[in-house]
Amino acid sequence: MVRPRRSRDVAAGNVRSLHPMRMGPHHMMPRDADAVKGARLAGDTSRRVWTFARPYRGTITVFLVAILLAALLGIVPPLVVRRILDVAIPNAIDSGNRGPIWWLAAIAVAAALVDAFLQIVQRWCSARVGEGLIADLRRALYAKVQRLPVAFFTRTPTGAITSRLNNDVVGAQTAVTSTLGSVVSNVIVLAITLATMLALEWRLTLLALVVLPLFVVPARRVGRRLQDISREQMTHNAAMNTQMTERFNVSGAVLVKLFGSLDRENETFGKRADAVRDAGIKAAMLGRVFFVALGLVAAVGTAVIYGIGAQLVVSGDITPGTLVALAALVTRIYQPLTGLTNARVDLMTSMVSFERVFEVLDTPEPITDRPGAFDLLDPTGRVEFDNVTFRYPPASESSIGSMETQSIPGADPDRDVLAELSLVLEPGETVALVGASGAGKSTLASLIPRLYDVTTGAVRIDGADVRDLTLASLRRAVGVVSQDPHLFHESIGDNLRYADPDATDEQIVEACRAARIHDTIAALPDGYATVVGERGYRLSGGEKQRLAIARLLLKNPAIMILDEATSHLDNDNEAHVQASIEVALSGRTALVIAHRLSTVRSADRIAVIHHGRIVELGTHDELVKRDGLYAAQLRAGELAID
Ligand SMILES: Nc1ncnc2c1ncn2[C@@H]1O[C@H](COP(=O)(O)OP(=O)(O)OP(=O)(O)O)[C@@H](O)[C@H]1O
Ligand SMILES: [Mg+2]
């Protein structure tokens, strides 16, 4: 008789649908109880949530109407039973006319059919709205994160970013679908059921409400406790995931093999996995105990109704039908009431997810097109550093506080990496930049394509401040081969086409021949279809560099930046790389960060950078004659001599 609403979900093991307690150990919603505690819904947030929900207002309306109709239908079966008991059966006994009984039974069947249909409609609506919102939020976040500056990515762990796109987005949509749905549904079911019960027999109804505190008080406590456990579980999960993502990539795995101890690794991982297990068991048990208790109290409530109601039947105050109907209805008020006790916390939790999403969407984009930015058309490639001073941006300007897992003490740069530096690269000229490790060579190069913006001074291309140019045209004009070129986990062909999606096979082969990498690729088992990247075929450092040069040749930029790898290459590779560099540089303005004498010698001019300043500038012979820092470096063998 006593059947907590939705008990079939429990039987089916679908614990998650036991909203609003949502006690499943796997749900992804970040439950930041601290953030929720005492939190107020900022009017602002709800308004913005609405801007995301707005496109779905039609579906949401259908959803709410379906909920309302389902709630109304819920009181049909008890009323049908009442009528059968009080009217149809006595009539049939008196007159022998059994027709009305069949009719009433048919009504109950019809109600069940419509209810089934409404459930499907509800699910369809909530799935459409929920999945739609997830997709919209993800799209917005992805677009946003891509526009954030490099400084953001140097500070934020990848896991924190992906978790915003996964967990928080999912958490946010539950605010609109399940939380909103269950709150509305609970309110309506409660109102309609209570009204019906009061109309049937108000004294018994009030009696049924007396046991309420038995629900509400534990429900509140269990709800909060479950939130704590979920949060604990998410923290442990995150720790476990971080360990996996850090160790299960080639570099991490190699580091563990060379330096780590497998036992130590297994032990820390095991501890984290165990913590997730323990929290999961706690959550499952607490959820089940609570649910069983709920059933028990409902059973007691029903028994009380029967016990006292039966007295009223005997004394002729109510009919047996009314009693049965009341007993059926009473089971429908406890669950919504319990649900509503936690509605506020649930809503706040979902809002926290929304706020975390908005936090990312609201991050300023320091490096973006200025209003009125213009395209850099047919650049001749004159690059000018004009009195440039640069300091890496502090955390407060370049990251989202809540996404940095730990703030790195002393990480805020307090010194100028480049100071009052001026340098001009004439069109078509190759300038080699040499200097000690950490002198600021890579930093200087990164200012040209605006990976960072200067602190003071200016970087100009063809006389235009790079900050006045559109980023798209600027990055078309500037090509970079970095110290450690990155390849996506895709085929070699696709990696090359990343620079020019329309490149023909012939153009690709031509670029690879010029970069002296074609023969190597052609000898691979799958040729240009060979999948490379961290988890694919592993190219050597020199091969990767040449592939990156081929990628650059396809892009065909006017200005080229080459950050030579510091590692020494074998003679064969060395010669190949040198040849490919010469092809790449011809006819372009080039800034080459050089570690090898061969590269330095083939440059038009050499700039020596020391502590963020250009201290010497001239040809190889001039600088040797000058007998300054460059000559000293040469003597000390700091430039690899080939
Ligand atoms: N993202 C960053 N945040 C703060 N400081 C940085 C950052 N990147 C580099 N630095 C610092 O700026 C200085 C210059 O670094 P840079 O990478 O430009 O050196 P480099 O001349 O290219 O050295 P190498 O020859 O070893 O590549 C270094 O002291 C480095 O620690
Ligand atoms: Mg460098």
Side-chain angles (χ1 to χ4, degrees), residues 476-477 499 551-559 588:
R476 260 198 308 276
R551 182 163 64 185
L552 204 64
L553 289 175
L554 277 172
K555 179 172 168 173
N556 194 21
I559 300 158
R588 293 169 226 267

Side-chain angles (χ1 to χ4, degrees), residues 441-443 483 563 593 595:
K441 304 181 293 294
S442 300
T443 307
Q483 267 174 312
D563 205 340
I593 299 166
H595 295 281

Side-chain angles (χ1 to χ4, degrees), residues 486-500:
H486 186 72
L487 297 172
F488 289 125
H489 179 74
E490 287 166 6
S491 72
I492 292 180
D494 288 344
N495 265 295
L496 290 167
R497 273 200 189 86
Y498 199 71
D500 178 7

Side-chain angles (χ1 to χ4, degrees), residues 45-98:
T45 308
S46 1
R47 253 198 308 282
R48 288 184 69 182
V49 169
W50 177 238
T51 59
F52 275 95
R54 220 182 131 77
Y56 303 97
R57 57 190 184 284
T59 319
I60 292 177
T61 312
V62 176
F63 179 54
L64 296 181
V65 169
I67 287 177
L68 177 71
L69 291 180
L72 279 172
L73 268 183
I75 56 167
V76 169
L79 294 182
V80 165
V81 171
R82 175 173 178 253
R83 189 142 183 99
I84 291 180
L85 286 179
D86 288 353
V87 182
I89 293 180
N91 276 354
I93 292 172
D94 288 348
S95 64
N97 175 12
R98 300 182 181 203

